[in-house]
Structure formats: C-alpha cells, structure tokens
Amino acid sequence: MRYAIGLEYDGSEFLGWQIQDKGPTVQSCIETAVAKVADHPARVTCCGRTDTGVHALGQVAHFDSDSQRSERNWILGLNSQLPRGVSVLWICQVGDAFHARFSAFSRCYRYRLLNRWIRPAIDARRLSWCRVPLSADKMHQAAQSLLGEHDFTSFRASACQARHAVREIQAIEVKRDGDVVTLEVSANGFLYHMVRNIAGSLLKIGSGERPVEWLAELLDLRDREQAAPTASPEGLYFVGARYPEEFDLPTSGLAFPRGWNLS
Amino acid sequence: MRYAIGLEYDGSEFLGWQIQDKGPTVQSCIETAVAKVADHPARVTCCGRTDTGVHALGQVAHFDSDSQRSERNWILGLNSQLPRGVSVLWICQVGDAFHARFSAFSRCYRYRLLNRWIRPAIDARRLSWCRVPLSADKMHQAAQSLLGEHDFTSFRASACQARHAVREIQAIEVKRDGDVVTLEVSANGFLYHMVRNIAGSLLKIGSGERPVEWLAELLDLRDREQAAPTASPEGLYFVGARYPEEFDLPTSGLAFPRGWNLS
C-alpha cells in the first residue's frame, strides 16, 4: 500500500532533504521513523528536494508499506520517532499511481527576507536579510515578466540535472508586510536554485541597482552568468504542492481533524 | 556616560539573561561585546531578566562608558561581536538617572502558543504548544479579572525574590490568529514566572477543564499551590518596556533610521 504524508520542517536543523553521510537530513530522519513504525525499511520520496537550511511548511512525500496502522497511530508514531525540527502533519493512503514528485502539477515556494538595517536575531535561521531599503512594488512588477512558460536558463544553477530549462510559472507575487518582504512563486516545477536565483536578481531591482526591465532582459539572455548571485537559503520555504483531484490529498494539515479524539 | 540599548534575542540560544558558569547567557555575550567595542570592561543591566528559552523583541539595558563612538559605530561594532541569536537594535545616550530596570514604569510580555494537534516543527523553540482546542474568548474573558492592582501570590514562583507580590496589570489580552493563540500582558512589573503561571492557568480555562471564573478565584486565594503548573518557556517574549518621556528613548528600533547612510 502506498501512503502520502505531509511534512513541516525547520531546514536549519538538517543538511537538506536528501540522505548523505555528512549529517542528519530530513529523508534520513523520516526513513528511520517509518522503519520503526512500519517495522520494515522503506524508501521515502519527496515532492521537492530542499537544500541545507531550506524549510518546508507543506512538503509532500510517499512510501510503501503493508503494515496495518490507523491514521492516528501512523502520525503519533512517526512524530514520536522524529527529531524536534520535523513534524508529520497528515497521512493518507493513495493508489500506487501516486508519486510525490512526478504526480505534482504545481509547487509553491515562499522566500522571506527581513528588510531593515539590523540583522535578524530571533529568526536568524528562518529569514534572509537585506539591509538596503527595497521597493517591493518594483520587485513585484519585474517578477510579472516571468509569468508563463519560459526557458529559465538564466536562473538555473550549473549543478542542475534537469533535462531542459523550460518551466511554467503560474503565479508570482512580491509584497511587504512591515519589515518583511515576501516573494511567493508557483510553477509546474523548479530548476535547481531557481527561486533563490530569481530572488537574488529581484533584490538588485528592489534596491534600485537595476531597473524593473532587467528581469525580462535576463530571462531573454538565457545566461546564468548575467544574473545576480544566488540569494541565501534561510528565507526559503517549500509551501506546498498540488496534485490531481483523483488522489484526494488533504490541502493542508487540519488544526483539529473532524472526529479526532483529542483527549 | 550612560547608554541605553535595545535588544532582540532568540532565547533558545542562551541560558537566560543572567551571567552563569554553565553556558552562554545574553548578559555575558553583551558584556563581552561592549568590552571589545568600548575597550574597557562594563556591567550591562537589563530591564527584565529572562529565563532560559525566553525571547526578547525589545529588551532594554544600560551600561556606562566614556569611550567616544558614533551611534552607527556602537551598533555595528556591538553586532559584529555578538553571536547570531542576539542583535542590538538601537543605542542612545541617557542621563545618569536612567536605570534599565528601576526607571521602567511598564513592561510588556507576549506568550504565543500553537494550538493544533501536531507539534510545531519550524518554530519548535519559539512557540509553546497545546494540542487540545482552546477557546481564546474564554481565556480573554477570564484574564480581565487580573486587571488593576492585586496581590499576585497565586502566580508567583516559590524562588521569587521580590519584596512583595503586589503588581498592577495595565492591559491583558488573549486572541487567536489561525492556529496561534497569543496572550499579551502589560504591568508595572512582573513576579518570577508570573506570565508563565498565568498562561498555565488560562490554558485550563481555554480547554474547558476549569470555568472562566476560576482565574479570579485563584487570584483571591493567594496560594500558588492552587493554580496550574507553569507553562513552558518557548512561547514567552519580552516585548518591550516604557520609561518616562524625559529619557527620550526610541520606542522601537527603526527599520531605516532617518538620515542613515545605507550605502
């Protein structure tokens, strides 16, 4: 049987999603927890492999198990085996056709940065930081030029292993709330470092170093060398993914699921 | 010359404010930084000594120094010497009559808790957690009975060293924003663990375990044994303090101070 799970994690506690020898990763923690609760080893595959320091509000993953556990026991069991920086928000049984990565038709990332001249202390690991005043309006205006299907070579890291650089941006928005400027992007898929590379170039526009038109020019150039450096990972969040309705996934972890015995 | 400073810190990185042998404290970090920038040792005294795990958005402290530094150089110098979890937000020269603790006529604390059945991951160290559904309205209603001057013995930790337990609560509010329930309290002063003890008893009311009237009854009993256990520290923030106008302190760190060269 295949299970889909929803995950929240603090990326500052892990060396990214993917298993590696150098230290704890989200995947290694989840696989260890699933092995304990399911009582057998299991591979866990996620929707969007996040880098070191990148967070998730609604990561989606799947694994296979024939162990019989109630929804409640899966969730409580997994969370009791996981370190503090990662929580399973929901779990549901899905058909074998479901694949956390390949079935998703839309992903959403959020990039948050503190825009004040003093660095963040409380959210030092969960907010990026720009000390120069930014115009969120100009950033938003520039970002609109990325809407639709384009070749995003200019915003693709050299280590990217995707077959091609064409992606469709479905929505992109930059807004300010007090000292915090937020970029939110939805696309059918993302290239390696794509959001942080877009954020890096938008910062140059927001600070006035480059004109609003620069982002469209960069896109046309299809040259990573011309764009700004990659923005830092602390402010990046994998917000969530969308799947065909037939899989009937919860859109978010419910605060208090209907009929749940909370006692 | 006496200087007042405003501080933001992530309490999860420190063993509270006060210097101790067991590990890093906010005070020890600030005193080390001031000694480097001022080029002489200095004692730093704060408005509200926070416990291990308790955060500050607007802690106020003072120290004495005759070293000549511009406002900009004090701030950049101190922040360059401080660990990532603490930032100096502002500094200003004050008269010798100023005392961060004794001159304050009002302090404000905020207690934030995540109210969902899944524990927090991203803000595990910055939010308390209650898995049982809470009525913020009932908590708010109950909290109003604490307004004004009262003997707060029922909400005073046994280790409290204050001479008496009479304090004046100037404002108290409980509200919900999505999954987060926030308690905010302003008072002329607080007893040891007072906010966390009030929060602990309000939780029993919010969950329905105790009636709304229970908080007023507890207050009248003047008996710590009758009240609920102390709520956990992760969700507690020292928000700020108020001082007589004559000291002319900034009310908050400005995002971009007027006339500041941001280059």
Side-chain angles (χ1 to χ4, degrees):
Chain A
M1 251 143 28
R2 182 153 289 187
Y3 289 92
I5 53 175
L7 298 168
E8 173 185 313
Y9 53 81
D10 177 344
S12 67
E13 316 240 343
F14 304 98
L15 297 176
W17 170 268
Q18 199 151 11
I19 287 181
Q20 54 168 279
D21 297 334
K22 283 179 263 173
T25 66
V26 184
Q27 188 185 13
S28 65
C29 293
I30 304 277
E31 290 191 356
T32 302
V34 170
K36 288 249 183 151
V37 177
D39 215 19
H40 62 75
R43 175 95 316 178
V44 178
T45 304
C46 79
C47 177
R49 285 167 298 178
T50 49
D51 277 336
T52 300
V54 176
H55 319 287
L57 295 164
Q59 178 68 275
V60 178
H62 77 263
F63 63 90
D64 294 324
S65 174
D66 288 327
S67 301
Q68 297 295 325
R69 307 280 182 271
S70 69
E71 182 190 350
R72 179 190 171 89
N73 285 346
W74 273 119
I75 293 180
L76 296 182
L78 291 172
N79 284 333
S80 75
Q81 297 293 335
L82 287 167
R84 178 153 68 164
V86 52
S87 294
V88 173
L89 300 174
W90 53 262
I91 187 166
C92 67
Q93 229 177 285
V94 286
D96 288 344
F98 179 85
H99 190 286
R101 184 167 165 207
F102 299 123
S103 304
F105 62 82
S106 177
R107 285 117 167 121
C108 177
Y109 279 91
R110 189 176 294 158
Y111 193 83
R112 295 174 69 224
L113 62 89
L114 184 66
N115 189 212
R116 70 176 189 197
W117 72 283
I118 306 286
R119 63 177 187 187
I122 289 186
D123 276 317
R125 292 180 179 82
R126 279 156 302 279
L127 273 177
S128 295
W129 173 46
C130 177
R131 66 166 76 212
V132 178
L134 295 170
S135 162
D137 288 345
K138 282 187 186 170
M139 294 165 75
H140 179 74
Q141 202 187 322
Q144 301 317 300
S145 61
L146 303 184
L147 269 175
E149 196 173 83
H150 300 283
D151 179 318
F152 286 96
T153 298
S154 297
F155 305 105
R156 172 191 198 167
S158 57
C160 184
Q161 292 173 0
R163 282 181 302 116
H164 63 83
V166 175
R167 295 292 183 277
E168 185 193 5
I169 290 192
Q170 299 148 342
I172 184 163
E173 183 184 45
V174 181
K175 59 183 177 188
R176 171 184 290 280
D177 180 12
D179 287 351
V180 177
V181 172
T182 302
L183 159 70
E184 199 165 290
V185 201
S186 297
N188 61 345
F190 288 89
L191 301 163
Y192 190 48
H193 283 179
M194 182 168 150
V195 181
R196 288 166 56 194
N197 286 338
I198 292 171
S201 291
L202 283 175
L203 282 170
K204 300 263 184 205
I205 292 166
S207 66
E209 203 179 319
R210 297 284 188 165
V212 168
E213 301 71 34
W214 188 56
L215 206 70
E217 290 166 24
L218 284 177
L219 183 69
D220 284 346
L221 286 171
R222 300 184 193 183
D223 180 0
R224 176 70 192 97
E225 304 274 303
Q226 304 297 313
T230 308
S232 64
E234 303 86 19
L236 187 59
Y237 294 73
F238 184 98
V239 174
R242 290 169 69 203
Y243 294 88
E245 282 189 17
E246 67 200 71
F247 295 119
D248 198 23
L249 299 192
T251 49
S252 69
L254 297 168
F256 296 102
R258 282 175 294 276
W260 200 275
N261 175 10
L262 292 153
S263 63
Chain B
M1 249 141 29
R2 181 154 289 187
Y3 289 92
I5 53 175
L7 298 168
E8 174 185 312
Y9 53 82
D10 178 343
S12 68
E13 316 240 342
F14 304 98
L15 297 175
W17 170 268
Q18 200 152 10
I19 286 180
Q20 53 170 280
D21 297 333
K22 282 178 265 173
T25 66
V26 184
Q27 187 185 13
S28 65
C29 293
I30 305 276
E31 290 190 355
T32 302
V34 170
K36 287 251 182 144
V37 177
D39 217 18
H40 61 77
R43 175 94 317 180
V44 178
T45 303
C46 78
C47 177
R49 285 168 297 178
T50 49
D51 277 336
T52 301
V54 176
H55 319 287
L57 295 163
Q59 178 69 274
V60 179
H62 77 261
F63 64 90
D64 294 323
S65 174
D66 290 327
S67 300
Q68 298 295 324
R69 308 279 182 271
S70 69
E71 182 192 349
R72 179 190 170 89
N73 286 345
W74 272 119
I75 293 180
L76 295 182
L78 291 172
N79 283 334
S80 75
Q81 298 294 333
L82 286 167
R84 179 154 68 163
V86 52
S87 293
V88 173
L89 301 175
W90 52 262
I91 188 166
C92 66
Q93 228 177 286
V94 285
D96 288 344
F98 178 85
H99 190 285
R101 183 168 167 205
F102 299 124
S103 304
F105 63 83
S106 178
R107 284 115 167 125
C108 178
Y109 279 92
R110 189 176 295 158
Y111 193 83
R112 295 175 69 226
L113 62 89
L114 184 66
N115 189 212
R116 70 176 189 197
W117 72 283
I118 305 285
R119 62 176 189 188
I122 289 186
D123 275 317
R125 293 180 177 82
R126 280 156 301 280
L127 273 177
S128 294
W129 173 46
C130 178
R131 66 164 78 211
V132 179
L134 294 170
S135 162
D137 288 345
K138 281 186 185 171
M139 292 165 75
H140 179 75
Q141 203 186 326
Q144 301 316 302
S145 61
L146 303 183
L147 270 176
E149 196 173 82
H150 301 283
D151 179 319
F152 286 96
T153 298
S154 297
F155 304 105
R156 172 190 199 170
S158 57
C160 183
Q161 291 173 2
R163 284 181 299 113
H164 63 82
V166 175
R167 295 292 183 277
E168 185 193 5
I169 290 193
Q170 298 149 344
I172 184 162
E173 183 184 44
V174 181
K175 61 183 176 189
R176 171 183 290 280
D177 180 11
D179 287 352
V180 177
V181 173
T182 302
L183 159 70
E184 199 165 289
V185 201
S186 297
N188 61 346
F190 288 90
L191 301 163
Y192 190 48
H193 283 179
M194 183 167 150
V195 180
R196 289 166 57 193
N197 286 339
I198 291 171
S201 291
L202 282 174
L203 282 170
K204 301 263 185 206
I205 292 166
S207 67
E209 203 178 320
R210 297 284 189 166
V212 168
E213 301 72 35
W214 187 54
L215 206 71
E217 289 165 27
L218 284 177
L219 183 68
D220 284 346
L221 285 171
R222 301 186 191 180
D223 179 1
R224 176 72 192 99
E225 304 274 303
Q226 304 298 313
T230 309
S232 64
E234 304 85 19
L236 187 58
Y237 294 74
F238 184 97
V239 175
R242 290 169 69 203
Y243 293 88
E245 282 190 16
E246 68 200 70
F247 294 119
D248 198 24
L249 298 192
T251 49
S252 69
L254 296 169
F256 297 101
R258 280 176 294 277
W260 199 275
N261 176 11
L262 292 155
S263 62

